[in-house]
Amino acid sequence: MKLVKTIAEVREITAEWRKQGLTVGFVPTMGYLHEGHASLIEASSANNDKTVVSVFLNPMQFGANEDLASYPRDIERDQKVVEAAGGDLIFNPEPSEMYHEGFSSFVDMTVLTEELCGLSRPVHFRGVCTVVAKLFNIVKPDRAYFGKKDAQQLAVIRHMVDDLNMDIEIIGCPIIREENGLAKSSRNTYLSASEQEAALVLSRSIFMGEKMVNEGERDAEKIIAEMTQMISAEPLAKIDYVKIVDLGTMQQIQRIEKPALCAIAVYIGKTRLIDNFFIENV
Ligand code: PAF
């Protein structure tokens, strides 16, 4: 397993692989890898001859008051995770390698980015789309792997690939949870012991909402009201949103009659966490 810092090195290595007829899987990350990332790398290495993992904390997708400066980093630990999960190459560029002086081209999206995290984090998806488009152009993968925990991001990337005719298959992989239900996230490291306990309210409300749907409830407002009540009872939790949206458009719905997504964002102390469940068999 190799780590490179420049676009030229990634291009040289992946071009050689393609020349040999090898397929390339790609897992974009912002580092501080956990079992969720490892599951993406494992899925990629099971289905492709070679797997590239990018570790790049993308400043463009953070708003001015967000946690860019405090976001956890540990590239040595990341290398061990990538190696153990079967990755072949880490691309770990500096911001100056990705955004040269005078950089002024962006990939932006309407509709799908207007709700959920797009509403609370106005610059976020422009930063995500721009960096992912750049990474796709650098790595030129056959397939790219994204976690379903970032459900809106997955939908946005699928849409971008379709809109811009990028010849890449996008694979969504299941949410990986701690034994206690908490969805794995690099941001979980911010939580104190009491906040970790409080954060369990996210998955508890998700499981309750999912149970209501499985038992036949189709009124989105009823499900949202129950989930909101449960989360609001936790003193350390502050709701950003609890919403049910159409899976295709990410716009809010009243009744679940088509594939949908129930997504939540909740502050536990200062840490903003997200979780969700997909409603696919309606
Ligand atoms: O999901 C993430 O970690 C990031 O948004 C991504 C896709 C690596 C782009 O920076």
Side-chain angles (χ1 to χ4, degrees):
M1 212 260 320
K2 209 173 163 180
L3 181 147
V4 298
K5 308 280 294 177
T6 67
I7 294 167
E9 287 168 293
V10 180
R11 288 209 158 129
E12 196 185 320
I13 294 168
T14 53
E16 181 54 36
W17 288 341
R18 278 189 297 275
K19 214 164 95 190
Q20 292 171 23
L22 303 176
T23 56
V24 178
F26 177 45
V27 181
T29 82
M30 297 201 301
Y32 213 74
L33 306 182
H34 49 68
E35 289 87 339
H37 297 112
S39 74
L40 304 180
I41 301 166
E42 281 159 12
S44 174
S45 52
N47 289 295
N48 300 279
D49 298 313
K50 296 288 182 186
T51 290
V52 181
V53 179
S54 62
V55 174
F56 178 59
L57 189 52
N58 175 34
M60 198 190 284
Q61 69 189 73
F62 287 79
N65 300 320
E66 294 182 356
D67 59 341
L68 175 62
S70 56
Y71 200 89
R73 305 163 199 231
D74 187 343
I75 190 66
E76 271 151 35
R77 184 172 161 277
D78 289 346
Q79 287 184 69
K80 290 186 192 133
V81 174
V82 174
E83 181 130 48
D88 299 283
L89 178 67
I90 297 181
F91 176 41
N92 177 220
E94 293 301 320
S96 57
E97 178 72 4
M98 291 297 281
Y99 301 116
H100 58 73
E101 217 184 303
F103 182 89
S104 56
S105 305
F106 302 91
V107 181
D108 213 344
M109 190 179 294
T110 56
V111 188
L112 260 73
T113 60
E114 285 162 7
E115 269 290 349
L116 308 177
C117 291
L119 203 59
S120 328
R121 306 183 67 192
V123 300
H124 179 65
F125 285 114
R126 176 166 118 139
V128 169
C129 287
T130 302
V131 81
V132 171
K134 281 172 68 65
L135 290 165
F136 283 175
N137 282 334
I138 294 164
V139 177
K140 298 195 186 80
D142 297 282
R143 299 182 188 88
Y145 296 76
F146 293 84
K148 286 187 173 177
K149 183 168 83 68
D150 294 298
Q152 189 177 17
Q153 170 172 277
L154 175 61
V156 164
I157 299 295
R158 281 193 198 287
H159 204 75
M160 176 183 80
V161 162
D162 188 41
D163 277 353
L164 302 183
N165 310 101
M166 296 171 166
D167 192 12
I168 297 168
E169 188 184 350
I170 303 299
I171 317 278
C173 298
I175 296 177
I176 304 294
R177 297 182 182 279
E178 306 281 356
E179 259 177 44
N180 61 17
L182 181 66
K184 301 255 184 194
S185 163
S186 306
R187 291 189 167 98
N188 290 350
T189 52
Y190 298 148
L191 302 171
S192 67
S194 58
E195 287 173 341
Q196 275 177 38
E197 195 57 37
L200 299 184
V201 77
L202 276 92
S203 52
R204 273 209 308 275
S205 72
I206 285 292
F207 299 151
M208 182 189 67
E210 196 165 22
K211 186 160 173 274
M212 287 176 79
V213 173
N214 289 341
E215 287 172 358
E217 184 59 74
R218 291 291 175 267
D219 183 336
E221 260 175 42
K222 274 195 191 154
I223 299 164
I224 290 168
E226 294 280 333
M227 291 174 68
T228 301
Q229 195 181 24
M230 180 182 269
I231 300 168
S232 306
E234 168 51 60
L236 294 182
K238 188 168 143 275
I239 293 176
D240 178 356
Y241 63 75
V242 176
K243 285 183 182 168
I244 298 185
V245 296
D246 180 288
L247 200 50
T249 63
M250 296 282 131
Q251 300 293 312
Q252 282 191 80
I253 52 172
Q254 309 292 318
R255 282 197 66 76
I256 302 166
E257 280 159 350
K258 284 202 292 185
L261 171 76
C262 176
I264 64 176
V266 178
Y267 285 92
I268 301 292
K270 288 195 172 126
T271 307
R272 185 176 177 279
L273 299 174
I274 57 173
D275 204 340
N276 68 63
F277 65 95
F278 284 66
I279 309 162
E280 281 167 312
N281 304 316
V282 186

